[in-house]
Amino acid sequence: MTSVRRRVDRPAEHGFTLIEVLAALAIGAAVIAGTAALIHNVALNFDRGTGLAGKTDQLLLAVERIAADLGSARQVPLGRGVKTGAAFVGAPGQLKFIAAGGPASGPQGEEVVSLTVEDVDGAARLIRRRAPWLGPRTLFESVALRDPIELIEGQVDISFAFAGVGTDGHLTWSDSWRGQPLLPLMVRLTIRDRASGAELLPGTEFALHAGAPIGCARAGASADCLKGGAPEQTPPAKVRPNNEPTNEPGNEPAGARG
């Protein structure tokens, strides 16, 4: 008897091979990694942009505060002698002067203001301090300042310079102002980034008493530029050598006001 074999056709089985699964996993991992890197870069750039904007705002607010203080600086002599110096101390990292104050100022409506550059943990900070000015019997050098406020902070170099009229009739810039008979005409603030050396606020000068127009800050400017500004409250400040005596015999002690 002849046996007949029946051929049974089974439907083909569909699926992924191991290689296909591994390739799909690799592609998926690459897509996820790329997406994560993109999100990280976007967030990082956003944070940097926000930080830069915040620092710019801080610098602008600091400049406004300094401009208000220096714009209200008062010409207060330390005695009655002809060569008596004014109550103003200026150095590359420090300013100290008498300015118009607010409700918390002294009986004459004035206060002593200082701007000091301090280095804390490798970062420069410009600190403002104040104290009421109690009058001519108060020793300017010994006033105890308080109420510290941080105006600027960061990896920067901060310095001041001061301008007066030199013997040649031109504005002369100096990195110190002490013992001069009058206040400087202008004060320059320089802020440089330590990493790049770039100046963050180029051309930042402040006129004291609004007696000097900002055009006087140009290099080589003549004292004639003062004619274009507001009327001066005091004669042009002339730079006097630091070794010139500041007191004459018979003068009142330092701190007496004319």
Side-chain angles (χ1 to χ4, degrees), residues 60-76:
L60 294 178
L61 291 175
V63 168
E64 291 180 1
R65 176 69 267 179
I66 297 172
D69 286 335
L70 291 175
S72 64
R74 301 293 180 89
Q75 179 70 36
V76 179

Side-chain angles (χ1 to χ4, degrees), residues 155-157 190-200:
Q155 298 295 325
V156 294
D157 292 319
T190 302
I191 305 175
R192 294 188 182 276
D193 180 73
R194 289 181 179 176
S196 63
E199 191 171 344
L200 302 182

